[in-house]
Every structure is written in structure tokens, then in C-alpha cells.
Amino acid sequence: MHDKTLAQQAALLASGELTSVELVDHYLARIDRLNSDLNAYILVNEEAARNAAKAADEQIKNGEGGALTGIPIAHKDIFCTKGVRTTCGSRMLENFIAPYNATVVDKLTAAGVVSLGKANMDEFAMGSSNENSYFGSVANPWQHDRVPGGSSGGSAAIVAAQLASAATGTDTGGSIRQPAAFCGVTGIKPTYGRVSRYGMIAFASSLDQGGPLARTAEDCALLLQAMSGHDPRDSTSSDLEVPDFVASLNDDIKGLRIGVPEEYFGEGLESGVGDAVKEALTELERAGAVLKSVSLPNQGLCIPAYYVIAPAEASSNLSRFDGVRFGHRAENPQDLEDLYKRSRGEGFGAEVKRRILIGAYALSAGYYDAYYLKAQQVRQLVSNDFTEAFKEVDVIAGPTTPTTAFERGAKTSDPVSMYLNDLFTVSANLSGLPGISAPCGFSEGLPVGLQMVAPANQEARLLNIAHQYQNATNWHLQSPAAID
Ligand code: GLN
């Protein structure tokens, strides 16, 4: 039953052919067998999951079930879960029991979803390989010596290894789309503001967005429907009406104009990735879409701008973890300064410290104009590129990542080469636009992702195209041999 999509499982649950308790027990047994090699879950809540499944089965029996009632998922450990340890992948929060639920968790729970546990992640969502977690790195289910991507690497590995029907993730510079691509699953980062950030531990507040990772675009549509909507507890949450993402999945894509940026197919792109993506574009053409070449002239400035803005915001957001208000507290401090220094020194890992240093530097009085302000200006240019391109096309498509999943350990000592993984993903965050990654083939046995970006609030269009593509192909239905 784990090889079924979420939508197929939901149909079986609704018809009574399957119970949520059976499904949850099945996944728990798989987690027991497979998670020790993958390290994708950092917490499994068996008892709570079984109880929630029983309640879901009751609801279904009484005719009160919805589209997601009884579906087992995993939450990225960045989402606060009431009464359940929430670590954000950090020693800083190793013992933090959240006193409330993130809005995303509340909304999915209200929709009847059952939480199996918490997914491993890069510490404070900083990373592209899930090698920055205090709880150890995660293996890619396709090849265990490869990384699953990051920072939602645990979530993507859980979906790929079929250890839950789906998972939540967050994306600040690509952390839903990049691991989705590396693990051969589908993931969507919604428009900034579509999904509430309340209770989602902050990394870079102007870039962070939550979203789903699942096997298919249809599954993502079902989850995003439940996750979206205005939240008075997040002042940046959008009050626009949430469209019906499922209803438009089968819209015809004939005549749809797909922009292909020339900048996405240049230096740094692995040939196997480029080939798979080009083949996917041809497939979309067969379905009636029209390909048009477009240009995003400031594409080359995205990584430098992102790696000033994201650390700057992170340095500010992470100042609350001082051992007094939040987080790990050092033992036997000499004085207040010693308490701060040692609590933060012990609690944060190397990458988080690097970001705090870069961010504090970029925001300091003498350098603010040269770095932070400049980066914000570049951000506007990047956003303008999309505005111009969207005058001519409906979506922009290309590779999600320049390469397939790389070997574990290969980039840990070279932060810049690690940052280059985000080459094609950060622009959507800088511009607040929705982006999706869908599996579109393999290169040397490893999955390749097709990324599409749409104008603000057009998630439905992305889900529609990805669904049409998945109707015509079966890349998204392949599963890693090691997980049977
Ligand atoms: N890899 C990027 C970073 O390390 C993006 C992370 C994310 O989207 N959370 O900042």
C-alpha cells in the first residue's frame, strides 16, 4: 500500500477498503525497518499516530471525512508541534518541546492528516545536502552514498522511500524543490504569503515559505489546499482567496506559453540533467504547450544577493537563541557574557555560525550600504526580470538543480560549491514567486527535477502543468530499488 499515491490511498480510505490504522501500522513497520539506514526521521510518534488514525477512522465511518482524513505524513522538524520535541535540526533546540502548533500543523491536523513524526533537516534550514543536521546526515534512498538534498532532505527522503504518504517542507532558497529533485519526488514552494509562517522556526523571514513534498502534483495540490490561507498570526500572510488547486489539475495546457531561459542551460549544468529537462520540455510541447526562449539577465547575481540577504536575516532571527530566552544553556557560566558566548558556541553548528557571522557583518553600520542594501537592490532587479519575462510567457521552466545528487561529504568543506546548488532555485524566493519541481528522468540512475516558476499566486497553473506532465510520463512513479 506504500507504493500508492496519497490520492489513491485517500480513495481507499474513503471507500472503507483500507483503514488509517492499517496504513499507519504499515508505515511504522517500514520506518522500523528502513529508517536506521536513512536517518530521515528524527522522531517517530507511534502512540500519537495510532490514536490519531483511530480517530480518523471513526470520522470516516461517520461520514465526516475529508480529502485527507487518515493520511499519514511527516512534518519537517522546523514546524512547532505542541507537546512534541521540535529541534530545527539543532543542538540549540535539542530539548525544546513546543508549547503550540505551527499553523501548518494545525491546518493539516484539522484536515484529518495523521502525523507520524518529525523529519530530519539541515540545522535551522541552512544547507543543500542535509549534512548540517545535529542529528546526523540523511541518505538518499536512491543511492545511500548520495545526499538527499537540503534543507528538507529528511522530508524528501521520507517521500522517496515511502515512509509516509507525504511530508511538509520549507523553502528559503530552494529547500523544497532541490531535495525533491534529488530524491525524485514532487515539491512546491508557494507564493510568499500563501502559507502561514506562524510556528515555522524563522531562518530568513522575507524568503521562508512552507509547502508540501509528495509523490505527485495531485498529492501536492491536495496538501497545499489544506495548508494555505490567511492567518492573522502571520502579518505577511496573504488574504487572497485560495483557489481550488485540485479542480484545475485537468485543465488543458494547449497554447500555454513556456519560457525557457537561456541562462539556465549554460556553464555548470550537468549534461545528463540538461538532456532530461530538454526531453521534458519536448513532452510538454507534445501536450500542446508552446516553448519560447526568454532571458533573465540578472540570473548570475541571484546567488551573491541571496547569500547576503539570507544570512543577514538569519543573524537577526537567531539572536533570540541566547540560552536565556530560548535554547541550549551552557553550564556554570561565570557571568552573563560567558553564558551568551558558550550557550551559542555550544548550541550552533559550523554552518549556522558562518551565516551569523556573514549576516552580522553585512548588517554592520560601516558595511550595510555596500552589502545588505546592494543585495536588496539586486533582488529588485531579479524580480524585474521575471516581471518582464511574464509579459511574454505563462511560466518559466528549466532544471531545478545543476547536477543530480552528489556524494555525501563531497562538498562539506567547500561552502561556495555547496551554495551553487541553489543556482536555479533562489530567484523564486528573492521574487516571492511560486515554484515547483517534478521528476523528469534520470541521469546515471539518479533522479532529475524539472522546475517551473509562475507569476505570483499562480500555484494552480504549476500544479496543472505538472499534473498533465505526470499523466503523460511515469518518472514520478519510479521508486528506489533499495526500499522494497
Ligand atoms: N540551500 C539554501 C541555504 O542553505 C536554501 C536553504 C533553504 O531553502 N532553507 O540557504
Side-chain angles (χ1 to χ4, degrees):
M1 55 184 102
H2 54 271
D3 53 343
K4 301 239 176 326
T5 69
L6 181 158
Q8 289 166 340
Q9 292 172 342
L12 293 174
L13 289 170
S15 69
E17 282 164 82
L18 178 67
T19 67
S20 180
V21 169
E22 285 168 344
L23 195 53
V24 163
D25 280 339
H26 181 77
Y27 279 127
L28 290 174
R30 284 180 67 73
I31 294 167
D32 220 28
R33 187 157 59 83
L34 298 166
N35 190 55
S36 54
D37 283 346
L38 294 172
N39 199 26
Y41 277 94
I42 48 181
L43 180 141
V44 181
N45 220 335
E46 300 200 7
E47 201 189 322
R50 287 203 174 95
N51 289 338
K54 271 184 211 140
D57 284 333
E58 259 328 285
Q59 268 191 312
I60 296 170
K61 222 166 62 198
N62 298 335
E64 294 157 6
L68 293 172
T69 308
I71 292 291
I73 70 158
H75 283 298
K76 184 177 184 180
D77 207 19
I78 197 168
F79 289 103
C80 286
T81 41
K82 187 174 178 176
V84 176
R85 190 176 76 143
T86 302
T87 69
C88 219
S90 183
R91 182 180 181 201
M92 191 51 102
L93 292 174
E94 189 179 4
N95 301 311
F96 175 59
I97 309 283
Y100 60 88
N101 277 333
T103 297
V104 161
V105 173
D106 266 344
K107 277 181 173 286
L108 286 169
T109 307
V113 161
V114 173
S115 170
L116 293 174
K118 308 295 292 281
N120 203 344
M121 56 179 284
D122 279 307
E123 184 176 10
F124 285 102
M126 298 173 192
S128 304
S129 65
N130 222 126
E131 292 169 294
N132 296 336
S133 170
Y134 176 63
F135 302 93
S137 62
V138 176
N140 187 314
W142 290 90
Q143 239 172 269
H144 287 192
D145 62 344
R146 303 283 167 149
V147 304
S151 64
S152 312
S155 302
I158 284 168
V159 177
Q162 296 161 19
L163 302 182
S165 308
T168 54
T170 61
D171 191 313
T172 302
S175 282
I176 289 176
R177 293 160 287 157
Q178 188 254 12
F182 276 14
C183 290
V185 305
T186 309
I188 182 166
K189 177 199 98 69
T191 309
Y192 183 77
R194 178 69 89 191
V195 168
S196 168
R197 292 183 296 110
Y198 180 78
M200 193 179 106
I201 295 169
F203 165 9
S205 308
S206 77
L207 302 162
D208 298 342
Q209 244 320 267
L213 293 99
R215 305 278 301 288
T216 69
E218 182 184 22
D219 295 353
C220 284
L222 287 162
L223 290 160
L224 187 59
Q225 199 74 52
M227 293 167 77
S228 300
H230 181 246
D231 179 5
R233 290 182 295 190
D234 170 3
S235 63
T236 61
S237 147
S238 159
D239 56 8
L240 287 179
E241 203 184 318
V242 180
D244 188 332
F245 298 126
V246 178
S248 52
L249 286 174
N250 285 312
D251 287 358
D252 199 345
I253 61 164
K254 220 170 240 115
L256 184 106
R257 299 163 304 166
I258 299 182
V260 185
E262 53 209 50
E263 292 83 1
Y264 284 10
F265 292 87
E267 207 194 324
L269 181 67
E270 222 169 65
S271 65
V273 173
D275 291 347
V277 169
K278 282 180 199 148
E279 179 53 34
L281 294 172
T282 307
E283 185 63 49
L284 288 168
E285 229 176 355
R286 269 181 227 128
V290 182
L291 302 184
K292 282 186 90 164
S293 177
V294 294
S295 177
L296 301 171
N298 293 294
Q299 161 64 20
L301 301 177
C302 289
I303 292 280
Y306 172 85
Y307 277 98
V308 171
I309 294 170
E313 293 186 16
S315 74
S316 163
N317 273 325
L318 269 55
S319 63
R320 73 191 65 168
F321 301 104
D322 56 10
V324 178
R325 292 169 299 167
F326 288 99
H328 169 82
R329 177 184 293 219
E331 284 185 21
N332 305 321
Q334 311 276 296
D335 53 28
L336 188 63
E337 187 157 324
D338 183 48
L339 172 71
Y340 286 156
K341 278 190 182 157
R342 280 201 293 117
S343 298
R344 287 169 69 80
E346 292 164 8
F348 290 135
E351 182 61 25
V352 173
K353 285 178 186 158
R354 181 179 297 125
R355 306 278 180 119
I356 292 173
L357 289 172
I358 295 172
Y361 182 82
L363 288 176
S364 60
Y367 295 102
Y368 182 92
D369 289 359
Y371 294 107
Y372 188 69
L373 193 68
K374 193 56 123 196
Q376 290 290 13
Q377 288 164 343
V378 170
R379 179 179 193 169
Q380 189 60 51
L381 294 177
V382 169
S383 176
N384 294 350
D385 282 358
F386 278 114
T387 309
E388 281 307 306
F390 286 134
K391 286 181 184 160
E392 318 233 321
V393 295
D394 303 304
V395 293
I396 282 171
T400 307
T401 55
T403 68
T404 54
F406 46 89
E407 272 174 33
R408 293 164 79 174
K411 302 191 181 187
T412 37
S413 53
D414 182 356
V416 173
S417 87
M418 189 69 93
Y419 297 166
L420 284 171
N421 269 287
D422 308 324
L423 193 60
F424 304 129
T425 46
V426 293
S427 53
N429 303 77
L430 290 170
S431 315
L433 302 176
I436 196 168
S437 179
C440 73
F442 291 86
S443 172
E444 292 175 18
L446 290 164
V448 176
L450 168 72
Q451 176 180 239
M452 293 183 287
V453 175
N457 306 307
Q458 302 295 330
E459 293 88 357
R461 190 181 293 168
L462 295 178
L463 291 162
N464 167 221
I465 307 168
H467 181 66
Q468 292 305 309
Y469 177 73
Q470 293 181 340
N471 275 344
T473 57
N474 65 5
W475 303 118
H476 61 293
L477 298 177
Q478 315 283 322
S479 40
I483 59 134
D484 275 351

